[in-house]
Amino acid sequence: GVAKFVQFCKEFEKSQKDDAPRLTATITGSASVVFADAPPTDVQLAGAAAKLKALQDQENAALQNEGDRHEAEEIVAQYQDDESKNDPKPNAEELRENIKVLEGVEEFAEKRVNQARDTQHQAQKNHDAAKRELDAALSTTCPTCGQEKPKAGRKDLKEAKATAKLASETLELAKTGFSQSLDELELARKKLANMRVTVVTSERAIAAQSQAKAKLENAVRILAKPKIQPPEPGALEAASKEYEDLAAKRGAYEQSLKARTARDKAESELIRVRCDMETSKLIREAITDHVARKTEAAFNSILENAGAFTEGLLRGSIRFDDGDLVMEC
């Protein structure tokens, strides 16, 4: 057990001795760090950041305002140009009244078509009836009994011809009237469809005029506001540099704190390592010396007992002296 403990102490001392150069290098490397005595405060850093942001916001607002004013000027110029053309403005109410009138015309035309159709149907019936009467009058025999008609029936033939002629002329007139009424209905429908398209177009034009007027009013309000001025030349760059310098100083200070903390820790660790090495060495030497003395005393006692048996046989007595086996003469 003593031998294992001594071996453990030697290994522990070796590991501590190997770790000492690393700690020494850390301490030596941090010697070149420049420690900032007065780093920027949080108030200074926050103030510089707020100043930089305010100038950036002012510059952005000035750029946005310049763009808005330019767009507003274009809107005003376009509106004035449109007004100078004196284009006729659509009257949606008047157009809607015209649509109502055309709807009445269309309804009246549909009625006329229906009436002309009925008239044509009736004329066709009269024409068919007159034709049958004429055919009957032209026949020389009686369709019922088959006997020859008397000559007195010629009068009926003349009347039948006159009736058939009148029916035929009436049918032609009815067809002509029906065709004309269809044409009038189609024309009314076309006018009504065109008028409705005109109304939709006019409503879109009115909506566009309303939007243009709203844009004009908004543009006038923008132009009436005071112009936002950008920051003074170089102010933004100076504020940015000031903030960057303060941030760099703060970063250097924080890095120096880390280096100082690492150095202090390494110094403390190096002291502990050296103390552990010396303590382990003293313990190992003390135990080794104690074991050696105890071992020597025990063997000397054994050798004294053995000397009683070897007396006269050897030139002297045998004993241990500082770890060596010697013979006294």
Side-chain angles (χ1 to χ4, degrees):
V2 173
K4 290 183 178 179
F5 179 77
V6 170
Q7 183 65 26
F8 171 78
C9 289
K10 289 181 179 180
E11 292 177 355
F12 176 75
E13 291 168 16
K14 183 178 182 303
S15 66
Q16 297 296 79
K17 186 178 180 180
D18 294 340
D19 200 29
R22 178 183 62 82
L23 299 173
T24 304
T26 301
I27 297 171
T28 305
S30 62
S32 60
V33 177
V34 178
F35 297 100
D37 296 331
T41 64
D42 293 338
V43 175
Q44 290 176 325
L45 197 60
K51 180 181 179 181
L52 177 61
K53 186 178 184 305
L55 290 173
Q56 289 174 340
D57 293 342
Q58 183 180 354
E59 184 178 41
N60 294 334
L63 292 174
Q64 182 65 38
N65 179 254
E66 183 179 357
D68 293 342
R69 293 179 67 87
H70 180 69
E71 183 179 359
E73 291 173 353
E74 290 183 349
I75 291 174
V76 171
Q78 182 65 38
Y79 188 86
Q80 292 174 349
D81 183 61
D82 293 341
E83 288 294 317
S84 63
K85 293 179 181 178
N86 295 323
D87 293 333
K89 303 298 185 295
N91 190 332
E93 293 298 328
E94 182 179 348
L95 292 174
R96 291 191 186 95
E97 292 296 329
N98 293 337
I99 285 179
K100 291 181 180 179
V101 173
L102 289 176
E103 287 175 347
V105 172
E106 181 187 26
E107 183 179 0
F108 179 73
E110 288 177 350
K111 290 181 179 180
R112 289 194 58 185
V113 167
N114 293 332
Q115 291 174 355
R117 185 183 292 109
D118 294 340
T119 302
Q120 182 178 349
H121 288 167
Q122 186 61 43
Q124 186 67 46
K125 289 180 181 180
N126 295 337
H127 177 268
D128 294 341
K131 186 177 180 182
R132 286 194 298 271
E133 292 179 359
L134 179 61
D135 291 340
L138 289 174
S139 178
T140 58
T141 59
C142 179
T144 303
C145 61
Q147 295 180 358
E148 187 178 355
K149 291 182 179 180
K151 293 182 179 180
R154 295 177 180 267
K155 182 180 179 181
D156 296 334
L157 177 60
K158 185 177 180 181
E159 291 178 358
K161 287 182 177 181
T163 301
K165 182 180 179 181
L166 179 61
S168 178
E169 293 175 352
T170 303
L171 178 60
E172 291 299 325
L173 291 174
K175 289 180 178 180
T176 303
F178 179 66
S179 178
Q180 290 177 352
S181 62
L182 284 176
D183 293 340
E184 291 175 358
L185 177 60
E186 184 65 22
L187 180 61
R189 286 176 175 174
K190 286 183 179 180
K191 288 183 178 180
L192 181 59
N194 293 335
M195 185 60 66
R196 285 173 175 166
V197 172
T198 304
V199 169
V200 172
T201 304
S202 65
E203 288 177 346
R204 290 177 181 175
I206 292 172
Q209 287 180 354
S210 178
Q211 293 177 356
K213 189 174 182 180
K215 288 183 178 180
L216 175 66
E217 293 174 353
N218 185 50
V220 171
R221 284 194 296 268
I222 291 174
L223 294 175
K225 293 180 181 179
K227 186 177 181 180
I228 299 177
Q229 298 297 330
E232 294 294 331
L236 187 60
E237 291 77 6
S240 178
K241 187 176 185 305
E242 179 184 0
Y243 175 75
E244 290 175 357
D245 291 343
L246 291 175
K249 289 181 180 179
R250 170 59 69 86
Y253 176 74
E254 292 176 351
Q255 288 297 114
S256 68
L257 286 181
K258 291 180 180 179
R260 178 158 49 187
T261 302
R263 185 194 64 184
D264 295 343
K265 183 178 179 181
E267 289 178 348
S268 300
E269 189 70 12
L270 184 60
I271 292 172
R272 183 192 63 77
V273 167
R274 289 174 177 173
C275 290
D276 290 346
M277 288 176 60
E278 292 298 326
T279 302
S280 176
K281 182 178 180 182
L282 291 175
I283 292 174
R284 178 174 55 80
E285 290 177 351
I287 290 176
T288 303
D289 182 66
H290 178 75
V291 169
R293 285 188 286 105
K294 289 293 183 180
T295 302
E296 184 176 345
F299 271 98
N300 283 332
S301 177
I302 294 173
L303 291 174
E304 287 179 1
N305 293 330
F309 296 97
T310 60
E311 186 177 356
L313 298 176
L314 300 175
R315 291 180 298 173
S317 60
I318 299 173
R319 67 181 182 84
F320 271 99
D321 186 9
D322 292 332
D324 297 326
L325 187 64
V326 298
M327 179 181 289
E328 294 180 351
C329 297

